Amino acid sequence: MNIGDGTRAVRAGLPDPVKYEPTLPGPVFAAHYHLPGEPTGPYTYGRDENPTWTHLERAISELEAPGEPVETVVFASGMAAISAVAFSQLRAGDAMVLPDDGYQALPLLRERLEAYGVTVRTAPTAADAQLRVLEGARLLWIETPSNPGLDVCDIRRLVKEAHAAGALVAVDNTLATPLGQRPLELGADFSVASDTKGMTGHGDILLGHVTSGNPELAAGVRRWRKVVGAIPGPMEAWLAHRSLATLQLRVDRQCAGALILARALEARADVDGLRYPGLPGDPSYRIASQQMRRFGSVVSFVLPDREWAERFLDGLRLVDDATSFGGVRSTAERRGRWGGDAVPEGFIRFSVGAEDPEDLVADVLRALDEAAS
Ligand SMILES: *Cc1c(COP(=O)(O)O)cnc(C)c1O
């Protein structure tokens, strides 16, 4: 059936209706299931499978690749999902290519992989530079738009070259969400995300997922979850599924707000290095428009120095000074406070929530004016 994103989001993963049962069945809390006789699936032991995960996994699959026979495996966090792909696919002696400007825990992943004898090479996201270090790699890891720099690479092009070189491709789709970008349609082998961010959107749960159109690859990831036990709680999985119903509403509102904020910041002399992939003129705009359907909720920019940035963050009334992004309540932070990202001291990562854009812009412009004086 040809339906829109909003319709798909509200119905995604719902089981067939059963009289007297809720539309979305409640969380199933079970360490084990009643299992007389031969111990065969689908539900035997709680670390292996749970009906609440099954509903959520079907929902995410429908969003990641509508109408396609793909499989999703949900995890306790985004890092659990990322680790599952890397550690289920790589062996000692393999090589993996990572972005050097991606999520800040990727260097920790690198350290672990190297300790197990995997060679890791890095290159920037921009200008498809990872292609230059692809030779002989088994797995190419892409993060686009990259976090926090918001550079974009050409997924179709990287997939084509990687497959020709015998490498699998995984895309970290956290920032875009499946409504912003569908990596599997662009040829990737895995779409991976932290559902802690825009996917669930309320800043109250940690979760992650891996989706693949290749049943063998998906089975490897599922087996890894069983081995490591990085399983989501049923309550988190159910809350995530409930949250997906509003995904299109949230993402549309947040993307519209992000563009309005970016336009307002464009005019400011105290704002430098403004980035938003949906802003015509942004270095990411051309490729982003070819592969993204929505441009995300994150805007980044640079204020003159650290103290200036701190005054700005202190002055905001509608925006929490907090890390993470993609939530219905706007957040902003001075990214340099963590160390690890190669960003200037005054670099601000701003996540646009679902507030009225005119209220948000007024708050930001007032806080900027106060920070300047
Ligand atoms: C937050 C984030 C992760 C890690 O997800 P957790 O749910 O915190 O484990 C991975 N990739 C990106 C791009 C992220 O923003």
Side-chain angles (χ1 to χ4, degrees):
M1 199 177 16
N2 203 2
I3 54 173
D5 286 341
T7 310
R8 188 173 294 111
V10 297
R11 298 215 62 86
L14 297 181
D16 289 338
V18 176
K19 196 171 184 182
Y20 307 130
E21 292 293 325
T23 311
L24 176 63
V28 172
F29 296 99
H32 55 84
Y33 305 88
H34 191 54
L35 187 68
E38 283 303 305
T40 52
Y43 302 108
T44 57
Y45 184 63
R47 182 168 21 80
D48 300 356
E49 289 299 338
N50 176 297
T52 310
W53 305 346
T54 307
H55 292 140
L56 175 62
E57 289 175 344
R58 287 187 186 143
I60 296 174
S61 290
E62 284 173 33
L63 297 171
E64 286 277 6
E68 298 295 322
V70 303
E71 266 187 72
T72 296
V73 186
V74 289
F75 285 89
S77 68
M79 281 311 294
I82 291 172
S83 302
V85 173
F87 290 102
S88 67
Q89 301 307 318
L90 298 168
R91 306 283 177 275
D94 286 344
M96 178 178 188
V97 173
L98 287 172
D100 66 14
D101 50 357
Y103 183 62
Q104 60 171 355
L106 291 183
L108 299 176
L109 177 72
R110 173 184 196 157
E111 202 181 289
R112 193 55 13 217
L113 286 167
E114 287 175 343
Y116 292 146
V118 174
T119 304
V120 178
R121 296 193 289 260
T122 64
T125 297
D128 302 339
Q130 287 176 288
L131 285 178
R132 292 202 302 266
V133 292
L134 197 57
E135 175 93 27
R138 160 93 182 130
L139 180 61
L140 167 63
W141 194 271
I142 297 173
E143 186 179 310
T144 179
S146 63
N147 170 30
L150 301 178
D151 279 323
V152 161
C153 59
D154 183 341
I155 298 178
R156 283 189 196 87
R157 179 175 176 222
L158 268 79
V159 164
K160 194 162 160 252
E161 306 252 342
H163 285 173
L168 296 168
V169 181
V171 177
D172 184 328
N173 205 32
T174 301
L175 200 141
T177 83
L179 293 197
Q181 178 169 277
R182 294 184 193 144
L184 301 184
E185 279 181 6
L186 301 170
D189 301 286
F190 300 99
S191 179
V192 185
S194 165
D195 300 322
T196 309
K197 317 289 169 56
M199 191 74 153
T200 56
H202 292 71
D204 49 13
I205 46 182
L206 283 110
L207 207 82
H209 79 263
V210 177
T211 307
S212 178
N214 179 324
E216 269 171 56
L217 297 180
V221 169
R222 203 173 283 283
R223 179 168 289 262
W224 175 262
R225 181 178 67 183
K226 175 177 166 133
V227 171
V228 182
I231 55 169
M235 191 68 204
E236 281 75 7
W238 183 81
L239 278 170
H241 198 162
R242 185 184 193 272
S243 305
L244 287 185
T246 55
L247 182 63
Q248 188 230 29
L249 289 173
R250 289 184 281 108
V251 169
D252 277 352
R253 171 72 159 208
Q254 290 174 258
C255 290
L259 183 60
I260 291 169
L261 177 66
R263 287 228 156 92
L265 293 173
E266 251 184 327
R268 303 273 315 193
D270 47 355
V271 169
D272 200 19
L274 174 68
R275 296 299 305 268
Y276 182 62
L279 197 62
D282 186 279
S284 293
Y285 183 73
R286 192 180 59 84
I287 304 291
S289 333
Q290 289 168 16
Q291 65 191 20
M292 298 185 77
R293 300 157 65 238
R294 296 172 174 86
F295 298 106
S297 59
V298 180
V299 176
S300 65
F301 54 94
V302 182
L303 295 176
D305 56 43
R306 174 182 173 154
E307 289 70 28
W308 195 306
E310 285 171 349
R311 287 197 302 275
F312 165 66
L313 293 170
D314 281 347
L316 291 165
R317 289 178 201 145
L318 300 178
V319 182
D320 295 328
D321 186 344
T323 194
S324 201
F325 59 85
V328 288
R329 285 174 284 272
S330 290
T331 56
E333 71 171 335
R334 198 179 65 80
R335 195 63 190 168
R337 65 180 172 167
W338 295 97
D341 294 323
V343 293
E345 285 290 342
F347 182 98
I348 302 285
R349 184 179 71 180
F350 197 113
S351 170
V352 175
E355 300 86 356
D356 292 299
E358 55 273 26
D359 293 339
L360 201 58
V361 167
D363 194 43
V364 167
L365 296 183
R366 182 195 44 72
L368 280 174
D369 286 341
E370 286 172 16
S373 57

